Amino acid sequence: MGADVHEDGNGERQSAERDTNSAPAPTGVDHEFLALERELTVFLRRARASSGEMAREVHPDLEPAAYGLLVRLEECGAQRATELAAYIGVGKATMSRQLRALEDLGFVAREPDPADGRAWLISLTERGRADFGQVREARRMRYVRQLAGWDRVEVAELARLLHQLNAGAE
């Protein structure tokens, strides 16, 4: 049986198979969860870097964290800032700052919430939708190339499992 191989996040290939000289795992720790933690760490590091690249492709001044807001607004339509903050997992002050930056770039607009005149709904502008759509298509094509050797059933299973993981974090 061959060893599982992964990158350690610094571009170095490592064997997941334990050798007899390596330190033992702490008592009571499941090796499966250690492997999950390791692979998620690498994945998240790469995802942050990718989000930064994608944000800059939308606009050079766009913060990487704001890309996720554009995704949410494109998928769900107009939302209150509090809903966006809860979904993304940031505070109101952080959300206000990110939305202000998106508004200054012309990607989002605020309009009064018809259900509550004191609240505002945030939505993508035509410019925001167009610029974001181009970058999202480029990102989708990157995934198509990266996963070209995968069966579509495997891609669907990965998406299902990631959705399950994300839903558990809400």
Side-chain angles (χ1 to χ4, degrees), residues 22-51:
S22 63
T27 305
V29 173
D30 294 322
H31 292 283
E32 297 84 1
F33 287 96
L34 287 173
L36 174 64
E37 186 273 336
R38 177 188 63 237
E39 297 304 329
L40 281 175
T41 298
V42 172
F43 178 78
L44 292 171
R45 178 180 289 176
R46 290 180 180 158
R48 278 191 296 274
S50 177
S51 286

mmCIF file of all heavy atoms in Angstrom, residues 22-51:
data_model
loop_
_atom_site.group_PDB
_atom_site.id
_atom_site.type_symbol
_atom_site.label_atom_id
_atom_site.label_comp_id
_atom_site.label_asym_id
_atom_site.label_seq_id
_atom_site.Cartn_x
_atom_site.Cartn_y
_atom_site.Cartn_z
ATOM 1 N N SER A 22 9.313 9.250 13.441
ATOM 2 C CA SER A 22 8.537 10.469 13.679
ATOM 3 C C SER A 22 7.877 10.407 15.050
ATOM 4 O O SER A 22 7.642 9.339 15.601
ATOM 5 C CB SER A 22 7.487 10.667 12.581
ATOM 6 O OG SER A 22 6.563 9.606 12.619
ATOM 7 N N ALA A 23 7.590 11.593 15.568
ATOM 8 C CA ALA A 23 6.965 11.686 16.888
ATOM 9 C C ALA A 23 5.571 11.085 16.839
ATOM 10 O O ALA A 23 4.844 11.274 15.869
ATOM 11 C CB ALA A 23 6.896 13.135 17.335
ATOM 12 N N PRO A 24 5.183 10.367 17.875
ATOM 13 C CA PRO A 24 3.841 9.780 17.887
ATOM 14 C C PRO A 24 2.781 10.865 18.050
ATOM 15 O O PRO A 24 3.050 11.930 18.608
ATOM 16 C CB PRO A 24 3.872 8.857 19.104
ATOM 17 C CG PRO A 24 4.942 9.413 19.986
ATOM 18 C CD PRO A 24 5.948 10.064 19.076
ATOM 19 N N ALA A 25 1.606 10.585 17.544
ATOM 20 C CA ALA A 25 0.485 11.506 17.723
ATOM 21 C C ALA A 25 0.114 11.531 19.196
ATOM 22 O O ALA A 25 0.287 10.546 19.903
ATOM 23 C CB ALA A 25 -0.709 11.053 16.889
ATOM 24 N N PRO A 26 -0.362 12.665 19.675
ATOM 25 C CA PRO A 26 -0.793 12.729 21.077
ATOM 26 C C PRO A 26 -1.815 11.633 21.377
ATOM 27 O O PRO A 26 -2.612 11.257 20.521
ATOM 28 C CB PRO A 26 -1.430 14.119 21.188
ATOM 29 C CG PRO A 26 -0.862 14.896 20.044
ATOM 30 C CD PRO A 26 -0.575 13.902 18.967
ATOM 31 N N THR A 27 -1.783 11.115 22.580
ATOM 32 C CA THR A 27 -2.700 10.062 22.989
ATOM 33 C C THR A 27 -4.141 10.537 22.843
ATOM 34 O O THR A 27 -4.479 11.661 23.193
ATOM 35 C CB THR A 27 -2.445 9.680 24.465
ATOM 36 O OG1 THR A 27 -1.070 9.332 24.594
ATOM 37 C CG2 THR A 27 -3.313 8.524 24.894
ATOM 38 N N GLY A 28 -4.974 9.672 22.287
ATOM 39 C CA GLY A 28 -6.388 9.979 22.151
ATOM 40 C C GLY A 28 -6.742 10.806 20.917
ATOM 41 O O GLY A 28 -7.885 11.184 20.743
ATOM 42 N N VAL A 29 -5.758 11.079 20.059
ATOM 43 C CA VAL A 29 -6.022 11.886 18.871
ATOM 44 C C VAL A 29 -6.297 10.954 17.691
ATOM 45 O O VAL A 29 -5.557 9.999 17.456
ATOM 46 C CB VAL A 29 -4.823 12.807 18.555
ATOM 47 C CG1 VAL A 29 -5.014 13.511 17.232
ATOM 48 C CG2 VAL A 29 -4.628 13.807 19.675
ATOM 49 N N ASP A 30 -7.349 11.220 16.978
ATOM 50 C CA ASP A 30 -7.683 10.437 15.795
ATOM 51 C C ASP A 30 -6.824 10.895 14.631
ATOM 52 O O ASP A 30 -6.799 12.075 14.294
ATOM 53 C CB ASP A 30 -9.159 10.626 15.428
ATOM 54 C CG ASP A 30 -10.095 10.062 16.474
ATOM 55 O OD1 ASP A 30 -9.781 9.004 17.029
ATOM 56 O OD2 ASP A 30 -11.131 10.694 16.719
ATOM 57 N N HIS A 31 -6.128 9.967 14.005
ATOM 58 C CA HIS A 31 -5.272 10.282 12.867
ATOM 59 C C HIS A 31 -6.070 10.895 11.718
ATOM 60 O O HIS A 31 -5.569 11.762 11.006
ATOM 61 C CB HIS A 31 -4.509 9.047 12.409
ATOM 62 C CG HIS A 31 -3.502 8.592 13.409
ATOM 63 N ND1 HIS A 31 -2.296 9.217 13.578
ATOM 64 C CD2 HIS A 31 -3.548 7.593 14.322
ATOM 65 C CE1 HIS A 31 -1.623 8.623 14.540
ATOM 66 N NE2 HIS A 31 -2.370 7.637 15.024
ATOM 67 N N GLU A 32 -7.324 10.463 11.563
ATOM 68 C CA GLU A 32 -8.161 11.006 10.490
ATOM 69 C C GLU A 32 -8.399 12.506 10.678
ATOM 70 O O GLU A 32 -8.384 13.270 9.720
ATOM 71 C CB GLU A 32 -9.512 10.272 10.425
ATOM 72 C CG GLU A 32 -9.411 8.802 10.099
ATOM 73 C CD GLU A 32 -9.124 7.914 11.315
ATOM 74 O OE1 GLU A 32 -9.007 8.429 12.445
ATOM 75 O OE2 GLU A 32 -9.021 6.693 11.117
ATOM 76 N N PHE A 33 -8.586 12.920 11.929
ATOM 77 C CA PHE A 33 -8.832 14.337 12.181
ATOM 78 C C PHE A 33 -7.553 15.163 12.087
ATOM 79 O O PHE A 33 -7.585 16.318 11.699
ATOM 80 C CB PHE A 33 -9.545 14.542 13.513
ATOM 81 C CG PHE A 33 -10.991 14.127 13.450
ATOM 82 C CD1 PHE A 33 -11.381 12.869 13.871
ATOM 83 C CD2 PHE A 33 -11.942 14.979 12.918
ATOM 84 C CE1 PHE A 33 -12.706 12.476 13.775
ATOM 85 C CE2 PHE A 33 -13.267 14.594 12.823
ATOM 86 C CZ PHE A 33 -13.651 13.332 13.251
ATOM 87 N N LEU A 34 -6.418 14.552 12.409
ATOM 88 C CA LEU A 34 -5.139 15.237 12.195
ATOM 89 C C LEU A 34 -4.896 15.439 10.706
ATOM 90 O O LEU A 34 -4.459 16.507 10.263
ATOM 91 C CB LEU A 34 -3.984 14.440 12.811
ATOM 92 C CG LEU A 34 -3.882 14.453 14.327
ATOM 93 C CD1 LEU A 34 -2.791 13.493 14.789
ATOM 94 C CD2 LEU A 34 -3.626 15.857 14.841
ATOM 95 N N ALA A 35 -5.184 14.412 9.903
ATOM 96 C CA ALA A 35 -5.033 14.520 8.454
ATOM 97 C C ALA A 35 -5.988 15.580 7.899
ATOM 98 O O ALA A 35 -5.606 16.376 7.032
ATOM 99 C CB ALA A 35 -5.279 13.164 7.790
ATOM 100 N N LEU A 36 -7.216 15.605 8.396
ATOM 101 C CA LEU A 36 -8.184 16.606 7.958
ATOM 102 C C LEU A 36 -7.694 18.010 8.284
ATOM 103 O O LEU A 36 -7.726 18.903 7.435
ATOM 104 C CB LEU A 36 -9.540 16.352 8.626
ATOM 105 C CG LEU A 36 -10.617 17.409 8.375
ATOM 106 C CD1 LEU A 36 -10.984 17.463 6.898
ATOM 107 C CD2 LEU A 36 -11.840 17.121 9.231
ATOM 108 N N GLU A 37 -7.206 18.201 9.499
ATOM 109 C CA GLU A 37 -6.708 19.516 9.911
ATOM 110 C C GLU A 37 -5.556 19.955 9.019
ATOM 111 O O GLU A 37 -5.497 21.092 8.566
ATOM 112 C CB GLU A 37 -6.278 19.464 11.380
ATOM 113 C CG GLU A 37 -5.874 20.812 11.973
ATOM 114 C CD GLU A 37 -4.414 21.151 11.760
ATOM 115 O OE1 GLU A 37 -3.603 20.223 11.571
ATOM 116 O OE2 GLU A 37 -4.088 22.346 11.772
ATOM 117 N N ARG A 38 -4.630 19.045 8.736
ATOM 118 C CA ARG A 38 -3.477 19.361 7.897
ATOM 119 C C ARG A 38 -3.923 19.763 6.486
ATOM 120 O O ARG A 38 -3.484 20.783 5.956
ATOM 121 C CB ARG A 38 -2.535 18.148 7.834
ATOM 122 C CG ARG A 38 -1.330 18.354 6.922
ATOM 123 C CD ARG A 38 -0.532 17.088 6.714
ATOM 124 N NE ARG A 38 -1.336 16.073 6.052
ATOM 125 C CZ ARG A 38 -1.589 14.852 6.533
ATOM 126 N NH1 ARG A 38 -1.103 14.460 7.684
ATOM 127 N NH2 ARG A 38 -2.320 14.010 5.837
ATOM 128 N N GLU A 39 -4.808 18.979 5.884
ATOM 129 C CA GLU A 39 -5.234 19.256 4.506
ATOM 130 C C GLU A 39 -6.082 20.520 4.432
ATOM 131 O O GLU A 39 -5.957 21.288 3.477
ATOM 132 C CB GLU A 39 -5.977 18.055 3.922
ATOM 133 C CG GLU A 39 -5.124 16.804 3.796
ATOM 134 C CD GLU A 39 -3.846 16.995 2.978
ATOM 135 O OE1 GLU A 39 -3.831 17.828 2.038
ATOM 136 O OE2 GLU A 39 -2.857 16.304 3.278
ATOM 137 N N LEU A 40 -6.927 20.767 5.438
ATOM 138 C CA LEU A 40 -7.708 22.004 5.442
ATOM 139 C C LEU A 40 -6.812 23.226 5.608
ATOM 140 O O LEU A 40 -7.067 24.277 5.003
ATOM 141 C CB LEU A 40 -8.773 21.982 6.542
ATOM 142 C CG LEU A 40 -10.031 21.180 6.220
ATOM 143 C CD1 LEU A 40 -10.953 21.135 7.429
ATOM 144 C CD2 LEU A 40 -10.756 21.734 5.013
ATOM 145 N N THR A 41 -5.749 23.105 6.394
ATOM 146 C CA THR A 41 -4.818 24.215 6.577
ATOM 147 C C THR A 41 -4.179 24.595 5.244
ATOM 148 O O THR A 41 -4.118 25.772 4.882
ATOM 149 C CB THR A 41 -3.737 23.848 7.616
ATOM 150 O OG1 THR A 41 -4.382 23.610 8.870
ATOM 151 C CG2 THR A 41 -2.712 24.955 7.774
ATOM 152 N N VAL A 42 -3.714 23.594 4.501
ATOM 153 C CA VAL A 42 -3.116 23.855 3.189
ATOM 154 C C VAL A 42 -4.174 24.447 2.240
ATOM 155 O O VAL A 42 -3.931 25.439 1.553
ATOM 156 C CB VAL A 42 -2.503 22.567 2.591
ATOM 157 C CG1 VAL A 42 -2.049 22.780 1.154
ATOM 158 C CG2 VAL A 42 -1.350 22.083 3.453
ATOM 159 N N PHE A 43 -5.354 23.833 2.238
ATOM 160 C CA PHE A 43 -6.428 24.295 1.361
ATOM 161 C C PHE A 43 -6.806 25.744 1.655
ATOM 162 O O PHE A 43 -6.949 26.560 0.741
ATOM 163 C CB PHE A 43 -7.645 23.377 1.527
ATOM 164 C CG PHE A 43 -8.826 23.801 0.709
ATOM 165 C CD1 PHE A 43 -8.875 23.531 -0.646
ATOM 166 C CD2 PHE A 43 -9.892 24.466 1.302
ATOM 167 C CE1 PHE A 43 -9.962 23.927 -1.405
ATOM 168 C CE2 PHE A 43 -10.978 24.862 0.548
ATOM 169 C CZ PHE A 43 -11.018 24.587 -0.812
ATOM 170 N N LEU A 44 -6.952 26.073 2.934
ATOM 171 C CA LEU A 44 -7.355 27.430 3.308
ATOM 172 C C LEU A 44 -6.269 28.446 2.971
ATOM 173 O O LEU A 44 -6.577 29.569 2.542
ATOM 174 C CB LEU A 44 -7.732 27.496 4.784
ATOM 175 C CG LEU A 44 -9.011 26.733 5.143
ATOM 176 C CD1 LEU A 44 -9.191 26.671 6.649
ATOM 177 C CD2 LEU A 44 -10.217 27.350 4.472
ATOM 178 N N ARG A 45 -5.020 28.092 3.144
ATOM 179 C CA ARG A 45 -3.924 28.989 2.791
ATOM 180 C C ARG A 45 -3.982 29.296 1.287
ATOM 181 O O ARG A 45 -3.858 30.438 0.869
ATOM 182 C CB ARG A 45 -2.582 28.373 3.154
ATOM 183 C CG ARG A 45 -1.400 29.271 2.756
ATOM 184 C CD ARG A 45 -0.092 28.659 3.110
ATOM 185 N NE ARG A 45 0.069 28.681 4.555
ATOM 186 C CZ ARG A 45 1.106 28.141 5.173
ATOM 187 N NH1 ARG A 45 2.035 27.535 4.495
ATOM 188 N NH2 ARG A 45 1.203 28.216 6.481
ATOM 189 N N ARG A 46 -4.172 28.259 0.506
ATOM 190 C CA ARG A 46 -4.264 28.452 -0.948
ATOM 191 C C ARG A 46 -5.519 29.219 -1.326
ATOM 192 O O ARG A 46 -5.499 30.040 -2.244
ATOM 193 C CB ARG A 46 -4.220 27.110 -1.647
ATOM 194 C CG ARG A 46 -2.870 26.471 -1.561
ATOM 195 C CD ARG A 46 -2.854 25.153 -2.258
ATOM 196 N NE ARG A 46 -1.538 24.560 -2.159
ATOM 197 C CZ ARG A 46 -1.312 23.270 -2.290
ATOM 198 N NH1 ARG A 46 -2.295 22.446 -2.540
ATOM 199 N NH2 ARG A 46 -0.089 22.812 -2.179
ATOM 200 N N ALA A 47 -6.618 28.956 -0.647
ATOM 201 C CA ALA A 47 -7.869 29.653 -0.946
ATOM 202 C C ALA A 47 -7.737 31.147 -0.660
ATOM 203 O O ALA A 47 -8.230 31.977 -1.430
ATOM 204 C CB ALA A 47 -9.020 29.049 -0.140
ATOM 205 N N ARG A 48 -7.073 31.508 0.440
ATOM 206 C CA ARG A 48 -6.859 32.924 0.752
ATOM 207 C C ARG A 48 -6.030 33.596 -0.336
ATOM 208 O O ARG A 48 -6.333 34.697 -0.773
ATOM 209 C CB ARG A 48 -6.189 33.086 2.117
ATOM 210 C CG ARG A 48 -7.152 33.007 3.280
ATOM 211 C CD ARG A 48 -6.511 33.441 4.589
ATOM 212 N NE ARG A 48 -5.430 32.567 5.001
ATOM 213 C CZ ARG A 48 -5.580 31.464 5.706
ATOM 214 N NH1 ARG A 48 -6.783 31.083 6.089
ATOM 215 N NH2 ARG A 48 -4.540 30.729 6.056
ATOM 216 N N ALA A 49 -4.980 32.916 -0.773
ATOM 217 C CA ALA A 49 -4.136 33.474 -1.835
ATOM 218 C C ALA A 49 -4.942 33.614 -3.119
ATOM 219 O O ALA A 49 -4.865 34.641 -3.813
ATOM 220 C CB ALA A 49 -2.909 32.597 -2.064
ATOM 221 N N SER A 50 -5.748 32.619 -3.436
ATOM 222 C CA SER A 50 -6.568 32.654 -4.647
ATOM 223 C C SER A 50 -7.604 33.765 -4.567
ATOM 224 O O SER A 50 -7.846 34.475 -5.548
ATOM 225 C CB SER A 50 -7.263 31.305 -4.845
ATOM 226 O OG SER A 50 -8.113 31.335 -5.967
ATOM 227 N N SER A 51 -8.219 33.953 -3.398
ATOM 228 C CA SER A 51 -9.204 35.019 -3.244
ATOM 229 C C SER A 51 -8.557 36.379 -3.442
ATOM 230 O O SER A 51 -9.166 37.283 -4.026
ATOM 231 C CB SER A 51 -9.870 34.959 -1.864
ATOM 232 O OG SER A 51 -10.766 33.894 -1.818
#
